[in-house]
């Protein structure tokens, strides 16, 4: 009886601990990736509902998503993809994909784009190392809120099917990032109609491979407010090549008729006035920057330089009010996901504590059962002695 009781206890105890959320968990274990396969199948299907070419999140998730199907929409339905400072929330391994209405928090990269011709619209990115990381061309990034990340938007040439060129960044709120943009070995980026505020560094540029240029980029009709540093340029020297700054390090800060709004414009140029009620200042705005060239002997060479906005705006540009994810029109998703889709987060109790609890309970149960058994034996012996005494003549 004693052995049976102990066995039952040891069997039921782990189940009891799990019911309270205490489980033995490998700290390095990660949730499996959800993949939208080329044939349209979702594997595993939990957390995403398919309706034709539209895939909608039905819950907050901690799993990364990989998309390998062309011509689809992933609608986050205002749900959140939670990371733990590692991994990529959404990887794009196909083209003509639209990612919208997602909240992406706490990843190494929020969205990774390796294939051309995709759109990232009306999402929220916060507390990521890189909110958006592109190694591809012809992206539209619009109406997103990109805040409190280490890097807001990273663009670079060297991925699978990519050139990293001709990407459009329009109508976004980009604020409180350590670095708003990093554009390396790329060309033709257009940055327009964005609110770019309170970032430590706005734009970090790097040379195109084998060419003495950081690329031609068009930057106009943006509101630059309370940023610490505007521009830094890196020129990576190659063996046997002379060390020199790029010839076109900073792109164009106006489109030939209109530039950007700078909140310190009138402070920096107190004598500036508006040209003929055009909304354009009559004094160009100069952007100072530093060249930093990393060369092969491990030393750095720096050059000071200036870029220029020839047509600075007198007043802030009127950007859209609505940015970031929206609730679905006919639903109000709960902030707490269904348990059947996203299980409870377990308490990461160290295994030695759990084993100690099991061992302690086992000892206590064994001692209790042994004590009770001895008491029964003692009582039985006393009863037998009394019976024998009464039976004597």
């Amino acid at each position: 009886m004693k052995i049976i009781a102990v066995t039952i206890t040891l069997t039921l105890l782990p189940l009891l601990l799990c019911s309270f959320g205490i489980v033995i968990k490998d700290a390095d274990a990660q949730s499996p990736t959800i993949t939208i396969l080329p044939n349209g199948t979702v594997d595993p299907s939990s957390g995403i509902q398919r309706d034709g070419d539209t895939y909608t999140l039905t819950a907050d998730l901690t799993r990364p998503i990989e998309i390998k199907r062309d011509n689809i929409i992933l609608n986050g339905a205002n749900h959140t993809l939670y990371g733990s400072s590692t991994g990529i929330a959404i990887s794009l391994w196909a083209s003509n994909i639209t990612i919208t209405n997602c909240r992406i928090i706490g990843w190494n990269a929020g969205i990774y784009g390796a294939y051309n011709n995709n759109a990232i619209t009306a999402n929220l990115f916060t507390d990521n190392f890189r909110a958006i990381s592109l190694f591809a061309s012809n992206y539209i990034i619009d109406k997103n809120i990109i805040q409190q990340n280490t890097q807001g938007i990273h663009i670079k040439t060297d991925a699978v099917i990519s050139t990293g060129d001709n990407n459009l960044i329009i109508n976004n709120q980009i604020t409180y990032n350590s670095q708003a943009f990093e554009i390396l070995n790329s060309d033709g980026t257009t940055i327009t109609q964005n609110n770019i505020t309170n970032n430590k560094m706005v734009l970090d540029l790097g040379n195109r491979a084998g060419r003495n240029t950081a690329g031609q980029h068009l930057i106009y009709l943006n509101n630059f407010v309370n940023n610490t540093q505007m521009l830094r340029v890196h020129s990576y020297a190659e063996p046997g090549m002379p060390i020199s700054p790029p010839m076109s390090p900073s792109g164009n800060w106006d489109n030939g008729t209109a530039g950007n709004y700078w909140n310190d414009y009138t402070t920096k140029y107190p004598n500036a006035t508006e040209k003929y009620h055009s909304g354009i200042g009559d004094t160009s705005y100069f952007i100072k920057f530093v060249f930093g060239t990393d060369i092969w002997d491990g030393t750095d060479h720096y050059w000071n330089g200036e870029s220029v906005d020839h047509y600075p705006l007198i007043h802030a540009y009127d950007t859209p009010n609505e940015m970031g994810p929206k609730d679905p029109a006919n639903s109000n998703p709960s902030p707490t996901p269904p348990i059947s889709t996203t299980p409870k987060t377990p308490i990461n109790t160290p295994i030695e504590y759990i084993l100690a609890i099991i061992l302690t309970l086992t000892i206590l149960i064994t001692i209790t059962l042994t004590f009770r058994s001895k008491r029964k034996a003692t009582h039985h012996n006393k009863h037998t002695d009394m019976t024998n005494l009464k039976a004597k003549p």
Side-chain angles (χ1 to χ4, degrees):
M1 187 70 181
K2 187 165 54 177
I3 295 175
I4 294 174
V6 173
T7 301
I8 293 173
T9 300
L10 292 176
T11 301
L12 294 179
L13 186 58
L15 299 175
L16 181 63
L17 293 174
C18 289
S19 69
F20 285 99
I22 302 175
V23 297
I24 300 172
K25 181 182 178 182
D26 181 357
D28 295 328
Q30 295 184 353
S31 300
T33 299
I34 298 174
T35 304
I36 301 177
L37 297 168
N39 64 5
T41 303
V42 182
D43 182 29
S45 60
S46 61
I48 297 181
Q49 179 178 343
R50 180 186 179 185
D51 182 8
D53 291 328
T54 298
Y55 295 76
T56 303
L57 297 190
T58 59
D60 295 349
L61 298 173
T62 57
R63 297 177 175 183
I65 299 172
E66 289 189 352
I67 302 177
K68 299 181 179 181
R69 179 177 174 82
D70 295 329
N71 306 309
I72 71 166
I73 297 171
L74 177 66
N75 187 347
N78 204 26
H79 285 295
T80 302
L81 295 172
Y82 290 106
S84 57
S85 301
T86 60
I88 300 169
I90 302 174
S91 300
L92 306 181
W93 297 99
S95 298
N96 299 317
I97 300 166
T98 296
I99 307 297
T100 188
N101 287 333
C102 294
R103 296 176 179 270
I104 299 175
I105 300 174
W107 298 82
N108 185 51
I111 293 180
Y112 170 81
Y115 280 60
N116 299 334
N117 304 310
N118 293 310
I120 301 169
T121 181
N123 302 283
L124 169 68
F125 300 86
T126 188
D127 198 28
N128 304 285
F129 175 69
R130 286 177 176 161
I132 299 172
S133 187
L134 300 185
F135 295 80
S137 298
N138 302 315
Y139 273 63
I140 298 175
I141 301 172
D142 72 309
K143 296 182 181 178
N144 300 284
I145 298 174
I146 302 172
Q147 63 183 17
Q148 297 178 336
N149 305 279
T150 301
Q151 286 184 352
I153 298 174
H154 170 86
I155 301 174
K156 187 178 181 181
T157 293
D158 67 8
V160 180
I161 302 175
S162 64
T163 56
D165 295 337
N166 304 319
N167 295 294
L168 174 62
I169 302 167
I170 183 171
N171 292 336
N172 300 279
Q173 178 75 32
I174 303 172
T175 184
Y176 289 105
N177 302 285
S178 297
Q179 186 180 79
F181 307 96
E182 183 179 54
I183 302 175
L184 307 175
N185 193 24
S186 182
D187 203 3
T189 303
T190 298
I191 301 172
T192 186
Q193 301 172 45
N194 303 281
N195 291 322
I196 303 171
T197 67
N198 297 288
N199 300 282
K200 292 181 180 179
M201 168 69 68
V202 172
L203 179 58
D204 203 336
L205 284 174
N207 247 13
R208 288 183 65 77
R211 294 165 54 187
N212 191 29
T213 174
Q216 292 294 329
H217 308 288
L218 181 58
I219 306 164
Y220 71 105
L221 296 182
N222 301 285
N223 297 321
F224 292 109
V225 178
N226 295 334
N227 299 289
T228 304
Q229 185 176 348
M230 280 304 306
L231 179 62
R232 181 172 57 199
V233 178
H234 296 277
S235 176
Y236 299 98
E238 299 178 8
M241 296 291 291
I243 302 166
S244 62
M247 292 183 294
S248 55
S250 55
N252 297 316
W253 294 81
D254 59 73
N255 67 354
T257 58
N260 303 275
Y261 172 76
W262 311 86
N263 73 300
D264 63 347
Y265 179 63
T266 55
T267 302
K268 193 172 180 179
Y269 306 101
N271 296 323
T273 59
E274 185 178 359
K275 289 185 197 176
Y276 313 113
H277 305 288
S278 63
I280 304 298
D282 65 355
T283 302
S284 296
Y285 187 95
F286 286 86
I287 304 118
K288 293 185 180 294
F289 58 87
V290 173
F291 291 117
T293 301
D294 301 325
I295 64 174
W296 292 92
D297 61 4
T299 61
D300 292 334
H301 289 247
Y302 295 97
W303 296 268
N304 293 319
E306 287 184 329
S307 189
V308 60
D309 179 349
H310 297 94
Y311 303 94
L313 305 182
I314 292 294
H315 305 289
Y317 186 78
D318 188 14
T319 58
N321 292 324
E322 293 187 0
M323 298 182 185
K326 308 294 185 300
D327 287 332
N330 299 317
S331 66
N332 184 22
S334 170
T336 304
I339 294 176
S340 60
T341 302
T342 305
K344 292 180 180 179
T345 302
I347 301 172
N348 296 329
T349 307
I351 188 171
E352 56 269 23
Y353 293 160
I354 295 175
L355 294 176
I357 292 171
I358 294 173
L359 180 60
T360 302
L361 291 175
T362 302
I363 293 172
L364 289 175
I365 291 169
T366 302
I367 291 173
T368 300
L369 293 174
T370 302
F371 179 73
R372 287 182 178 179
S373 178
K374 288 183 177 179
R375 285 185 60 186
K376 288 182 179 180
T378 302
H379 179 74
H380 176 73
N381 292 336
K382 287 182 178 180
H383 178 74
T384 302
D385 291 343
M386 290 295 297
T387 302
N388 293 334
L389 288 172
K390 289 178 180 180
K392 288 183 180 180

